PDB file of all heavy atoms in Angstrom:
ATOM      1  N   ILE A  11      -9.842  11.010  17.374  1.00 98.00           N
ATOM      2  CA  ILE A  11     -10.987  11.156  18.231  1.00 98.00           C
ATOM      3  C   ILE A  11     -10.616  12.214  19.407  1.00 98.00           C
ATOM      4  O   ILE A  11      -9.614  11.947  20.067  1.00 98.00           O
ATOM      5  CB  ILE A  11     -11.382   9.837  18.868  1.00 98.00           C
ATOM      6  CG1 ILE A  11     -11.838   8.818  17.803  1.00 98.00           C
ATOM      7  CG2 ILE A  11     -12.622  10.086  19.773  1.00 98.00           C
ATOM      8  CD1 ILE A  11     -12.097   7.476  18.287  1.00 98.00           C
ATOM      9  N   GLY A  12     -11.375  13.227  19.487  1.00 97.00           N
ATOM     10  CA  GLY A  12     -11.071  14.248  20.479  1.00 97.00           C
ATOM     11  C   GLY A  12     -10.266  15.416  19.923  1.00 97.00           C
ATOM     12  O   GLY A  12      -9.131  15.175  19.522  1.00 97.00           O
ATOM     13  N   LEU A  13     -10.907  16.569  19.663  1.00 96.00           N
ATOM     14  CA  LEU A  13     -10.292  17.701  18.944  1.00 96.00           C
ATOM     15  C   LEU A  13      -9.890  18.843  19.945  1.00 96.00           C
ATOM     16  O   LEU A  13     -10.039  19.962  19.598  1.00 96.00           O
ATOM     17  CB  LEU A  13     -11.120  18.105  17.767  1.00 96.00           C
ATOM     18  CG  LEU A  13     -11.441  17.042  16.739  1.00 96.00           C
ATOM     19  CD1 LEU A  13     -12.515  17.483  15.758  1.00 96.00           C
ATOM     20  CD2 LEU A  13     -10.178  16.508  16.045  1.00 96.00           C
ATOM     21  N   GLY A  14      -9.188  18.465  20.953  1.00 95.00           N
ATOM     22  CA  GLY A  14      -8.646  19.506  21.874  1.00 95.00           C
ATOM     23  C   GLY A  14      -7.403  19.983  21.125  1.00 95.00           C
ATOM     24  O   GLY A  14      -7.127  19.713  19.911  1.00 95.00           O
ATOM     25  N   ARG A  15      -6.421  20.583  21.834  1.00 94.00           N
ATOM     26  CA  ARG A  15      -5.264  21.061  21.236  1.00 94.00           C
ATOM     27  C   ARG A  15      -4.380  19.901  20.706  1.00 94.00           C
ATOM     28  O   ARG A  15      -3.844  20.011  19.552  1.00 94.00           O
ATOM     29  CB  ARG A  15      -4.361  22.002  22.205  1.00 94.00           C
ATOM     30  CG  ARG A  15      -5.026  23.218  22.591  1.00 94.00           C
ATOM     31  CD  ARG A  15      -4.489  23.763  23.788  1.00 94.00           C
ATOM     32  NE  ARG A  15      -4.926  22.854  24.898  1.00 94.00           N
ATOM     33  CZ  ARG A  15      -4.639  23.030  26.127  1.00 94.00           C
ATOM     34  NH1 ARG A  15      -3.962  24.135  26.600  1.00 94.00           N
ATOM     35  NH2 ARG A  15      -5.037  22.128  27.047  1.00 94.00           N
ATOM     36  N   PHE A  16      -4.322  18.960  21.437  1.00 95.00           N
ATOM     37  CA  PHE A  16      -3.485  17.725  20.930  1.00 95.00           C
ATOM     38  C   PHE A  16      -4.041  17.054  19.707  1.00 95.00           C
ATOM     39  O   PHE A  16      -3.417  16.935  18.775  1.00 95.00           O
ATOM     40  CB  PHE A  16      -3.304  16.752  22.114  1.00 95.00           C
ATOM     41  CG  PHE A  16      -2.458  15.565  21.878  1.00 95.00           C
ATOM     42  CD1 PHE A  16      -1.102  15.694  21.616  1.00 95.00           C
ATOM     43  CD2 PHE A  16      -3.030  14.294  21.955  1.00 95.00           C
ATOM     44  CE1 PHE A  16      -0.377  14.597  21.412  1.00 95.00           C
ATOM     45  CE2 PHE A  16      -2.265  13.170  21.660  1.00 95.00           C
ATOM     46  CZ  PHE A  16      -0.950  13.301  21.427  1.00 95.00           C
ATOM     47  N   GLY A  17      -5.308  16.623  19.872  1.00 96.00           N
ATOM     48  CA  GLY A  17      -5.917  15.937  18.738  1.00 96.00           C
ATOM     49  C   GLY A  17      -6.007  16.699  17.519  1.00 96.00           C
ATOM     50  O   GLY A  17      -5.718  16.271  16.385  1.00 96.00           O
ATOM     51  N   ASP A  35     -15.464  14.468  17.209  1.00 98.00           N
ATOM     52  CA  ASP A  35     -15.501  15.095  18.568  1.00 98.00           C
ATOM     53  C   ASP A  35     -17.062  15.152  18.911  1.00 98.00           C
ATOM     54  O   ASP A  35     -17.871  15.286  17.904  1.00 98.00           O
ATOM     55  CB  ASP A  35     -14.917  16.450  18.611  1.00 98.00           C
ATOM     56  CG  ASP A  35     -14.574  16.855  19.916  1.00 98.00           C
ATOM     57  OD1 ASP A  35     -15.583  17.020  20.865  1.00 98.00           O
ATOM     58  OD2 ASP A  35     -13.417  16.992  20.314  1.00 98.00           O
ATOM     59  N   MET A  36     -17.378  15.125  20.163  1.00 97.00           N
ATOM     60  CA  MET A  36     -18.855  15.152  20.473  1.00 97.00           C
ATOM     61  C   MET A  36     -19.318  16.514  20.625  1.00 97.00           C
ATOM     62  O   MET A  36     -20.426  16.927  20.725  1.00 97.00           O
ATOM     63  CB  MET A  36     -19.138  14.352  21.744  1.00 97.00           C
ATOM     64  CG  MET A  36     -18.476  14.828  22.975  1.00 97.00           C
ATOM     65  SD  MET A  36     -19.093  13.695  24.236  1.00 97.00           S
ATOM     66  CE  MET A  36     -18.523  14.578  25.721  1.00 97.00           C
ATOM     67  N   ASP A  37     -18.369  17.449  20.736  1.00 97.00           N
ATOM     68  CA  ASP A  37     -18.613  18.851  20.929  1.00 97.00           C
ATOM     69  C   ASP A  37     -18.841  19.646  19.541  1.00 97.00           C
ATOM     70  O   ASP A  37     -17.926  19.596  18.737  1.00 97.00           O
ATOM     71  CB  ASP A  37     -17.515  19.523  21.755  1.00 97.00           C
ATOM     72  CG  ASP A  37     -17.805  20.954  22.107  1.00 97.00           C
ATOM     73  OD1 ASP A  37     -18.686  21.087  22.994  1.00 97.00           O
ATOM     74  OD2 ASP A  37     -17.148  21.824  21.455  1.00 97.00           O
ATOM     75  N   GLN A  40     -16.131  22.314  18.693  1.00 94.00           N
ATOM     76  CA  GLN A  40     -14.875  21.776  18.263  1.00 94.00           C
ATOM     77  C   GLN A  40     -15.021  21.278  16.717  1.00 94.00           C
ATOM     78  O   GLN A  40     -14.086  21.323  15.921  1.00 94.00           O
ATOM     79  CB  GLN A  40     -14.463  20.597  19.087  1.00 94.00           C
ATOM     80  CG  GLN A  40     -14.219  20.912  20.533  1.00 94.00           C
ATOM     81  CD  GLN A  40     -12.891  21.822  20.739  1.00 94.00           C
ATOM     82  OE1 GLN A  40     -12.678  22.704  20.003  1.00 94.00           O
ATOM     83  NE2 GLN A  40     -12.188  21.414  21.726  1.00 94.00           N
ATOM     84  N   ALA A  54     -19.736  13.162  17.174  1.00 97.00           N
ATOM     85  CA  ALA A  54     -20.200  11.796  17.623  1.00 97.00           C
ATOM     86  C   ALA A  54     -19.568  11.493  18.939  1.00 97.00           C
ATOM     87  O   ALA A  54     -18.506  12.055  19.388  1.00 97.00           O
ATOM     88  CB  ALA A  54     -19.895  10.748  16.681  1.00 97.00           C
ATOM     89  N   ASP A  55     -20.313  10.735  19.818  1.00 98.00           N
ATOM     90  CA  ASP A  55     -19.749  10.331  21.077  1.00 98.00           C
ATOM     91  C   ASP A  55     -19.220   8.893  20.876  1.00 98.00           C
ATOM     92  O   ASP A  55     -19.942   7.954  20.468  1.00 98.00           O
ATOM     93  CB  ASP A  55     -20.972  10.300  22.022  1.00 98.00           C
ATOM     94  CG  ASP A  55     -20.483   9.778  23.435  1.00 98.00           C
ATOM     95  OD1 ASP A  55     -19.281   9.258  23.560  1.00 98.00           O
ATOM     96  OD2 ASP A  55     -21.264  10.083  24.382  1.00 98.00           O
ATOM     97  N   THR A  56     -17.859   8.735  21.000  1.00 98.00           N
ATOM     98  CA  THR A  56     -17.199   7.545  20.658  1.00 98.00           C
ATOM     99  C   THR A  56     -17.270   6.548  21.712  1.00 98.00           C
ATOM    100  O   THR A  56     -16.718   5.434  21.643  1.00 98.00           O
ATOM    101  CB  THR A  56     -15.732   7.849  20.364  1.00 98.00           C
ATOM    102  OG1 THR A  56     -15.197   8.501  21.513  1.00 98.00           O
ATOM    103  CG2 THR A  56     -15.622   8.660  19.031  1.00 98.00           C
ATOM    104  N   THR A  57     -18.002   6.820  22.728  1.00 98.00           N
ATOM    105  CA  THR A  57     -18.220   5.737  23.847  1.00 98.00           C
ATOM    106  C   THR A  57     -19.401   4.914  23.466  1.00 98.00           C
ATOM    107  O   THR A  57     -19.860   4.072  24.179  1.00 98.00           O
ATOM    108  CB  THR A  57     -18.424   6.365  25.293  1.00 98.00           C
ATOM    109  OG1 THR A  57     -19.558   7.205  25.228  1.00 98.00           O
ATOM    110  CG2 THR A  57     -17.209   7.097  25.740  1.00 98.00           C
ATOM    111  N   ALA A  76      -7.599  10.902  21.546  1.00 97.00           N
ATOM    112  CA  ALA A  76      -7.014  12.272  22.153  1.00 97.00           C
ATOM    113  C   ALA A  76      -7.948  12.876  23.067  1.00 97.00           C
ATOM    114  O   ALA A  76      -7.886  14.063  23.224  1.00 97.00           O
ATOM    115  CB  ALA A  76      -6.547  13.168  21.035  1.00 97.00           C
ATOM    116  N   ILE A  77      -8.853  12.016  23.656  1.00 97.00           N
ATOM    117  CA  ILE A  77      -9.845  12.573  24.593  1.00 97.00           C
ATOM    118  C   ILE A  77      -8.899  12.776  25.921  1.00 97.00           C
ATOM    119  O   ILE A  77      -8.088  11.888  26.343  1.00 97.00           O
ATOM    120  CB  ILE A  77     -10.945  11.555  24.887  1.00 97.00           C
ATOM    121  CG1 ILE A  77     -11.741  11.373  23.684  1.00 97.00           C
ATOM    122  CG2 ILE A  77     -11.766  12.147  26.137  1.00 97.00           C
ATOM    123  CD1 ILE A  77     -12.813  10.253  23.769  1.00 97.00           C
ATOM    124  N   GLY A  78      -9.121  13.964  26.558  1.00 92.00           N
ATOM    125  CA  GLY A  78      -8.229  14.334  27.688  1.00 92.00           C
ATOM    126  C   GLY A  78      -8.792  14.053  29.036  1.00 92.00           C
ATOM    127  O   GLY A  78      -8.586  13.126  29.710  1.00 92.00           O
ATOM    128  N   GLU A  79      -9.551  15.194  29.473  1.00 93.00           N
ATOM    129  CA  GLU A  79     -10.049  15.156  30.797  1.00 93.00           C
ATOM    130  C   GLU A  79     -10.869  13.938  31.183  1.00 93.00           C
ATOM    131  O   GLU A  79     -10.812  13.494  32.281  1.00 93.00           O
ATOM    132  CB  GLU A  79     -10.863  16.460  31.029  1.00 93.00           C
ATOM    133  CG  GLU A  79      -9.956  17.569  31.588  1.00 93.00           C
ATOM    134  CD  GLU A  79     -10.649  18.889  31.436  1.00 93.00           C
ATOM    135  OE1 GLU A  79     -11.782  18.984  31.820  1.00 93.00           O
ATOM    136  OE2 GLU A  79      -9.906  19.758  30.844  1.00 93.00           O
ATOM    137  N   ASP A  80     -11.823  13.573  30.288  1.00 96.00           N
ATOM    138  CA  ASP A  80     -12.709  12.488  30.667  1.00 96.00           C
ATOM    139  C   ASP A  80     -12.012  11.161  30.466  1.00 96.00           C
ATOM    140  O   ASP A  80     -12.108  10.466  29.495  1.00 96.00           O
ATOM    141  CB  ASP A  80     -13.956  12.580  29.765  1.00 96.00           C
ATOM    142  CG  ASP A  80     -15.052  11.644  30.204  1.00 96.00           C
ATOM    143  OD1 ASP A  80     -14.744  10.776  31.011  1.00 96.00           O
ATOM    144  OD2 ASP A  80     -16.149  11.806  29.748  1.00 96.00           O
ATOM    145  N   ALA A  83     -14.238   8.198  29.402  1.00 98.00           N
ATOM    146  CA  ALA A  83     -14.530   8.158  27.998  1.00 98.00           C
ATOM    147  C   ALA A  83     -13.290   7.744  27.132  1.00 98.00           C
ATOM    148  O   ALA A  83     -13.306   6.970  26.131  1.00 98.00           O
ATOM    149  CB  ALA A  83     -14.993   9.563  27.482  1.00 98.00           C
ATOM    150  N   LYS A 102      -3.822   8.705  24.346  1.00 98.00           N
ATOM    151  CA  LYS A 102      -3.204   9.732  25.097  1.00 98.00           C
ATOM    152  C   LYS A 102      -3.577   9.526  26.589  1.00 98.00           C
ATOM    153  O   LYS A 102      -4.710   9.328  26.999  1.00 98.00           O
ATOM    154  CB  LYS A 102      -3.698  11.163  24.716  1.00 98.00           C
ATOM    155  CG  LYS A 102      -3.547  12.265  25.723  1.00 98.00           C
ATOM    156  CD  LYS A 102      -3.961  13.475  25.129  1.00 98.00           C
ATOM    157  CE  LYS A 102      -4.377  14.445  26.359  1.00 98.00           C
ATOM    158  NZ  LYS A 102      -4.453  15.836  25.846  1.00 98.00           N
ATOM    159  N   GLU A 124       1.826  15.901  27.823  1.00 90.00           N
ATOM    160  CA  GLU A 124       2.141  16.844  28.775  1.00 90.00           C
ATOM    161  C   GLU A 124       3.466  16.504  29.457  1.00 90.00           C
ATOM    162  O   GLU A 124       4.347  17.338  29.595  1.00 90.00           O
ATOM    163  CB  GLU A 124       1.084  17.060  29.777  1.00 90.00           C
ATOM    164  CG  GLU A 124      -0.154  17.869  29.304  1.00 90.00           C
ATOM    165  CD  GLU A 124      -1.282  16.917  28.731  1.00 90.00           C
ATOM    166  OE1 GLU A 124      -1.053  15.641  28.724  1.00 90.00           O
ATOM    167  OE2 GLU A 124      -2.329  17.437  28.327  1.00 90.00           O
TER     168      GLU A 124
HETATM  169  P1  LIG B   1      -5.900  19.303  24.988  1.00 59.84           P
HETATM  170  O1  LIG B   1      -4.915  19.308  26.049  1.00 59.84           O
HETATM  171  O2  LIG B   1      -5.514  18.368  23.770  1.00 59.84           O
HETATM  172  O3  LIG B   1      -6.386  20.609  24.490  1.00 59.84           O
HETATM  173  P2  LIG B   1      -7.572  17.987  26.981  1.00 59.84           P
HETATM  174  O4  LIG B   1      -6.518  16.994  27.343  1.00 59.84           O
HETATM  175  O5  LIG B   1      -8.013  19.162  27.828  1.00 59.84           O
HETATM  176  O6  LIG B   1      -7.186  18.604  25.505  1.00 59.84           O
HETATM  177  P3  LIG B   1     -10.247  17.486  26.557  1.00 59.84           P
HETATM  178  O7  LIG B   1     -10.550  18.867  25.987  1.00 59.84           O
HETATM  179  O8  LIG B   1     -10.886  17.059  27.823  1.00 59.84           O
HETATM  180  O9  LIG B   1      -8.777  17.157  26.513  1.00 59.84           O
HETATM  181  O10 LIG B   1     -10.724  16.539  25.362  1.00 59.84           O
HETATM  182  C1  LIG B   1     -10.462  16.647  24.052  1.00 59.84           C
HETATM  183  C2  LIG B   1     -11.666  16.648  23.223  1.00 59.84           C
HETATM  184  O11 LIG B   1     -12.293  15.319  23.326  1.00 59.84           O
HETATM  185  C3  LIG B   1     -12.711  17.605  23.484  1.00 59.84           C
HETATM  186  O12 LIG B   1     -12.912  18.464  22.428  1.00 59.84           O
HETATM  187  C4  LIG B   1     -13.943  16.822  23.917  1.00 59.84           C
HETATM  188  O13 LIG B   1     -15.155  17.388  23.310  1.00 59.84           O
HETATM  189  C5  LIG B   1     -13.655  15.510  23.152  1.00 59.84           C
HETATM  190  N1  LIG B   1     -14.350  14.362  23.838  1.00 59.84           N
HETATM  191  C6  LIG B   1     -14.502  14.147  25.145  1.00 59.84           C
HETATM  192  N2  LIG B   1     -15.248  13.032  25.337  1.00 59.84           N
HETATM  193  C7  LIG B   1     -15.669  12.445  24.075  1.00 59.84           C
HETATM  194  C8  LIG B   1     -16.374  11.474  23.605  1.00 59.84           C
HETATM  195  N3  LIG B   1     -16.950  10.620  24.475  1.00 59.84           N
HETATM  196  N4  LIG B   1     -16.612  11.271  22.321  1.00 59.84           N
HETATM  197  C9  LIG B   1     -16.037  12.166  21.409  1.00 59.84           C
HETATM  198  N5  LIG B   1     -15.292  13.173  21.794  1.00 59.84           N
HETATM  199  C10 LIG B   1     -15.090  13.487  23.168  1.00 59.84           C
END
Side-chain angles (χ1 to χ4, degrees):
I11 301 173
L13 300 173
R15 287 156 300 179
F16 180 65
D35 200 295
M36 65 178 188
D37 183 75
Q40 299 287 48
D55 181 346
T56 55
T57 59
I77 297 173
E79 264 162 52
D80 188 347
K102 161 176 153 164
E124 284 91 359

